[in-house]
CSV table of all heavy atoms in Angstrom, one decimal:
chain,number,residue,atom,x,y,z
A,150,THR,N,92.6,151.6,91.3
A,150,THR,CA,93.7,150.7,90.7
A,150,THR,C,94.7,150.5,91.8
A,150,THR,O,95.2,151.4,92.5
A,150,THR,CB,94.4,151.5,89.5
A,150,THR,OG1,93.4,151.8,88.6
A,150,THR,CG2,95.4,150.6,88.8
A,151,ILE,N,95.1,149.2,91.8
A,151,ILE,CA,96.2,148.8,92.7
A,151,ILE,C,97.3,148.3,91.7
A,151,ILE,O,97.0,147.5,90.9
A,151,ILE,CB,95.8,147.6,93.6
A,151,ILE,CG1,94.7,148.1,94.6
A,151,ILE,CG2,97.0,147.1,94.4
A,151,ILE,CD1,94.2,147.0,95.4
A,152,ALA,N,98.5,148.8,91.8
A,152,ALA,CA,99.6,148.5,91.0
A,152,ALA,C,100.8,148.4,91.6
A,152,ALA,O,101.1,149.1,92.6
A,152,ALA,CB,99.6,149.5,89.8
A,153,THR,N,101.7,147.6,91.1
A,153,THR,CA,103.2,147.6,91.5
A,153,THR,C,104.0,147.7,90.3
A,153,THR,O,103.5,147.3,89.2
A,153,THR,CB,103.5,146.3,92.3
A,153,THR,OG1,103.4,145.2,91.4
A,153,THR,CG2,102.6,146.1,93.5
A,154,THR,N,105.2,148.2,90.4
A,154,THR,CA,106.1,148.4,89.3
A,154,THR,C,107.5,147.7,89.6
A,154,THR,O,107.9,147.9,90.8
A,154,THR,CB,106.3,149.8,88.8
A,154,THR,OG1,106.8,150.6,89.9
A,154,THR,CG2,105.0,150.4,88.3
A,155,ASP,N,108.1,147.0,88.7
A,155,ASP,CA,109.3,146.4,88.9
A,155,ASP,C,109.4,145.7,90.2
A,155,ASP,O,108.5,144.9,90.6
A,155,ASP,CB,110.5,147.5,88.7
A,155,ASP,CG,110.4,148.2,87.4
A,155,ASP,OD1,110.3,147.5,86.3
A,155,ASP,OD2,110.4,149.4,87.4
A,156,ASP,N,110.5,145.9,90.9
A,156,ASP,CA,110.7,145.3,92.3
A,156,ASP,C,110.3,146.3,93.4
A,156,ASP,O,111.0,146.6,94.2
A,156,ASP,CB,112.2,144.9,92.5
A,156,ASP,CG,112.6,143.7,91.5
A,156,ASP,OD1,111.7,142.9,91.2
A,156,ASP,OD2,113.7,143.7,91.1
A,157,ALA,N,109.0,146.7,93.3
A,157,ALA,CA,108.5,147.8,94.2
A,157,ALA,C,108.6,147.2,95.7
A,157,ALA,O,108.3,146.1,95.9
A,157,ALA,CB,107.2,148.2,93.8
A,158,THR,N,109.0,148.1,96.5
A,158,THR,CA,108.9,147.8,98.0
A,158,THR,C,107.7,148.3,98.7
A,158,THR,O,107.5,148.1,99.8
A,158,THR,CB,110.2,148.3,98.6
A,158,THR,OG1,110.3,149.8,98.4
A,158,THR,CG2,111.5,147.7,98.1
A,159,ALA,N,106.9,149.1,97.9
A,159,ALA,CA,105.7,149.6,98.5
A,159,ALA,C,104.6,149.5,97.5
A,159,ALA,O,104.8,149.3,96.3
A,159,ALA,CB,105.8,151.1,98.8
A,160,LEU,N,103.3,149.4,98.0
A,160,LEU,CA,102.2,149.2,97.1
A,160,LEU,C,101.6,150.6,96.8
A,160,LEU,O,101.3,151.4,97.8
A,160,LEU,CB,101.2,148.3,97.8
A,160,LEU,CG,99.9,148.0,97.1
A,160,LEU,CD1,100.2,147.3,95.8
A,160,LEU,CD2,99.0,147.2,98.0
A,161,ALA,N,101.5,150.9,95.6
A,161,ALA,CA,100.9,152.2,95.2
A,161,ALA,C,99.5,152.1,94.8
A,161,ALA,O,99.1,151.2,94.1
A,161,ALA,CB,101.6,152.8,94.1
A,162,ILE,N,98.6,152.9,95.5
A,162,ILE,CA,97.2,152.8,95.2
A,162,ILE,C,96.8,154.1,94.5
A,162,ILE,O,96.9,155.2,95.1
A,162,ILE,CB,96.4,152.6,96.5
A,162,ILE,CG1,96.8,151.2,97.1
A,162,ILE,CG2,94.8,152.6,96.2
A,162,ILE,CD1,96.1,151.0,98.4
A,163,ALA,N,96.2,154.0,93.3
A,163,ALA,CA,95.7,155.2,92.6
A,163,ALA,C,94.3,155.1,92.6
A,163,ALA,O,93.7,154.3,92.0
A,163,ALA,CB,96.3,155.2,91.2
A,164,LEU,N,93.6,156.1,93.2
A,164,LEU,CA,92.1,156.2,93.3
A,164,LEU,C,91.6,157.0,92.1
A,164,LEU,O,92.2,158.1,91.8
A,164,LEU,CB,91.7,156.7,94.6
A,164,LEU,CG,92.0,155.8,95.8
A,164,LEU,CD1,91.6,156.5,97.1
A,164,LEU,CD2,91.4,154.4,95.7
Side-chain angles (χ1 to χ4, degrees):
T150 302
I151 297 176
T153 63
T154 58
D155 302 314
D156 293 326
T158 57
L160 182 63
I162 299 175
L164 298 176

